[in-house]
Amino acid sequence: SEMYQFLNETFEEEQKVLLLALVWKIVVADQKVDKQEMRLANQIRVRLQLSEDVAEEARKMAFQGVI
């Protein structure tokens, strides 16, 4: 989509990681993560062109309350 194209053209990787961490923060807000939420977070990761390793950093940030 145009939104992801814009983000990928203008955001540095660190900014995209923070964005994905915010997504994960929303996902874990209710203390549970279901398959649909995991799928959505992964789709966003792919569209932001982030590796699984980098995405794991974002997930950890959300779980540890860093963001």
Side-chain angles (χ1 to χ4, degrees):
S1 80
E2 289 181 28
M3 179 183 71
Y4 288 105
Q5 181 179 351
F6 170 78
L7 292 173
N8 286 319
E9 289 174 356
T10 58
F11 277 30
E12 300 291 330
E13 183 173 278
E14 182 178 316
Q15 293 170 305
K16 294 191 292 184
V17 170
L18 289 172
L19 180 59
L20 186 58
L22 288 171
V23 169
W24 272 109
K25 187 147 181 100
I26 294 167
V27 167
V28 301
D30 62 357
Q31 309 295 314
K32 52 187 174 173
V33 180
D34 64 33
K35 288 180 184 180
Q36 285 182 310
E37 291 171 325
M38 288 181 67
R39 192 172 335 137
L40 175 62
N42 189 56
Q43 287 173 348
I44 292 171
R45 174 195 68 82
V46 169
R47 289 182 176 172
L48 290 175
Q49 302 172 353
L50 296 171
S51 71
E52 289 184 26
D53 290 340
V54 171
E56 182 62 19
E57 282 182 43
R59 190 183 72 80
K60 286 180 181 176
M61 290 170 68
F63 275 94
Q64 295 169 356
V66 175
I67 190 157

